[in-house]
Amino acid sequence: MYLTKEEERMLSGEYGEAVREAMRILVTLGDAFDAEHMIPISSVHNTMGSVASAGDSALEYLQEMIRKGARFRVSTTVNNASIDLNGWRNLGFPEELAVKQFKFTAAWQALGGVTCHTCTPYLVGNIPSKGDHVSWGEVSAITFVNSVIGARTNREGGYTSLASSIAGRVPLYGYHLDENRRGNVLVEVKAQLKTVSDFGALSYHVGTMVGDRVPVFSGLRQNPSIGEYKALCAVCGSFNAGALFHIVGMTPEARTMEEAFRGEKPEEKISVNDGDVERAYNSLTTATGGEVDSVCVGCPHCSIEEIEMVANLLRGKKVCDDVKFWVCTAVQTKVMADRMGYTGVIENAGARVVSDTCPVALKDTVVDMRFRIMATNSVQNASYAPWRCGLQIHFGTLQECIEASIKGRWTGRT
Amino acid sequence: MKMILRGRKVVPGTAEGVALVTKHPISFYFVDWSTGIVKERGHELEGKSVAGKILVFPKGKGSSAGTQTIYEMVKRKTAPVGMINISVEPIVTVGAILGNIPLMDRLEKNPLDTIETGDYVKIDADKGIVEVTKRSKS
């Protein structure tokens, strides 16, 4: 990979140990992917916010970087933590985990990272522009920034984003290159999509069929809402799927079909009907029987409108005592939900508005916190949770999840 | 019987040990970092430990938190000592960089066809050479 004189100085250690280590990582990675050169970036979203997922070694690494004089030169936000930083005690998080997470959060802050601890950084101020080169992590956030905003990022892990925050650049490969942003598969949507979970089911179905190729959706009747976009981003970017899609006439790199495919023909055309969406709902449900002990809404984190919807559905109702119901969101959004009275309504019903975290970020602590059989309208939760520690899932609409929380039993479609 | 295979250095260094080979891509997020045991249900290596092995597999997959797991494994001494992929992807690559685990890919022959679990393997990533001593079958 070609390095500028400045980059060679950075790699040689002229700017200190932290910069040298950051460049060692980025240059080795760039060479592995035959990157021609590096490119400066305008924003970072670091996925490694949860000390439970990252391990003690990550905390030590951050502290070591601080000792080596590391400081971020690019504005950086940080993803979900392992706890709700304000409400952890009331919510039953273990104290030992809280202590560790506070140290981790403090280390991020010392480096210059904004510890908003959310998977929806674009809802709380980290909003790149179309064409910006950035270094983002976290499956749904990456897909959102690539597809809905039209910025450019690869699937960056916590350590590479950290290196990019310090060095201010990324190697030019993958989604940073025009040719890798071209649509590959035309997806004609014939199904009726009415809810966030419908979009999640679509995303799951398409992700399994398309793999890491770029789908181009056509046939959507109107622009997806923010909640629907978040759901579409959730699985299109997970497992072996890619992290970019286009919607003809709606997303920034697909003003026309021709633009979405950059003048080429689609390699494949698939059609998605109501039956395919129903089947996806079934595939995502792993629980048998009607037992439910938890409900989770807000994966990715809820927008303020989604919290309002939950409040409207729970107003005057009572969540069953045996059911733990979390509405997950960014702490900034929770402040607004508190102000609007939504939090009050939700908590009167017996559910909780939880900030900074989510079941996925808890990793094994999910078991300690007694989540076993969860109802969710989130495709990302449903896809990740069973693999994590045997969490069983009922996947359905928000309405079905709310009903399950009140009845204490799942009576939804699957 | 000894075989020499040439390939590309991804992460420099030398390492040797007993090979553990799988045709399934590995998601390190589903490896238990305290034991090195693969937890992913249905995986060819489910229940087996990668600790101390020369791990031969097509490539990494899954969550980028797999990199965090590899690094944690290095600190806990449950990591493989060397890795060979058909063609690398970023999760395993960065884990190997952080942990200084020699990593090679683009071998002249498919490593999954030429290396078997139990073979003794020496990697010299700097020279781009993999030396395989087939285990004796009696």
Side-chain angles (χ1 to χ4, degrees), chain A residues 211-223:
Chain A
D212 62 3
R213 295 175 295 167
V214 179
V216 177
F217 294 94
S218 73
L220 284 163
R221 255 147 256 168
Q222 59 194 35
N223 271 326

Side-chain angles (χ1 to χ4, degrees), chain A residues 70-90:
Chain A
R71 284 297 176 277
F72 290 168
R73 18 189 310 183
V74 185
S75 62
T76 298
T77 47
V78 180
N79 206 56
N80 299 12
S82 327
I83 61 168
D84 177 321
L85 268 67
N86 294 334
W88 63 272
R89 210 185 278 281
N90 283 338

Side-chain angles (χ1 to χ4, degrees), chain A residues 308-326:
Chain A
E308 184 191 11
M309 243 186 273
V310 174
N312 288 339
L313 288 167
L314 280 178
R315 187 168 281 108
K317 306 265 169 54
K318 265 272 173 271
V319 169
C320 182
D321 284 338
D322 298 330
V323 174
K324 198 201 295 269
F325 189 153
W326 281 10

Side-chain angles (χ1 to χ4, degrees), chain B residues 54-57 82-85 103-104 107 111 115 121 123 130:
Chain B
I54 300 284
L55 192 56
V56 184
F57 58 110
M83 295 193 278
I84 298 170
N85 282 174
L103 171 63
M104 287 181 61
L107 267 55
I115 308 175
V121 174
I123 297 180
V130 175

Side-chain angles (χ1 to χ4, degrees), chain B residues 8-127:
Chain B
R8 180 178 75 137
K9 164 189 80 171
V10 177
V11 177
T14 60
E16 57 183 272
V18 175
L20 182 61
V21 184
T22 175
K23 290 191 172 7
H24 289 170
I26 298 178
S27 171
F28 274 88
Y29 194 62
F30 298 124
V31 176
D32 182 342
W33 61 38
S34 34
T35 57
I37 292 177
V38 175
K39 294 295 206 193
E40 184 182 339
R41 273 172 234 145
H43 197 280
E44 194 183 341
L45 296 185
E46 185 183 356
K48 299 207 167 55
S49 171
V50 306
K53 302 280 195 230
I54 300 284
L55 192 56
V56 184
F57 58 110
K59 60 177 184 170
K61 68 167 188 183
S63 170
S64 65
T67 303
Q68 298 159 17
T69 303
I70 294 174
Y71 188 57
E72 183 73 15
M73 288 165 77
V74 169
K75 293 296 169 187
R76 290 173 183 243
K77 304 200 186 328
T78 56
V81 296
M83 295 193 278
I84 298 170
N85 282 174
I86 294 180
S87 187
V88 298
E89 53 62 60
I91 298 164
V92 166
T93 303
V94 179
I97 295 170
L98 289 169
N100 292 303
I101 304 173
L103 171 63
M104 287 181 61
D105 75 349
R106 300 185 189 171
L107 267 55
E108 54 190 339
K109 291 201 179 92
N110 185 340
L112 302 184
D113 294 337
T114 43
I115 308 175
E116 289 170 285
T117 294
D119 291 347
Y120 195 79
V121 174
K122 288 189 189 180
I123 297 180
D124 186 337
D126 304 298
K127 295 202 177 96

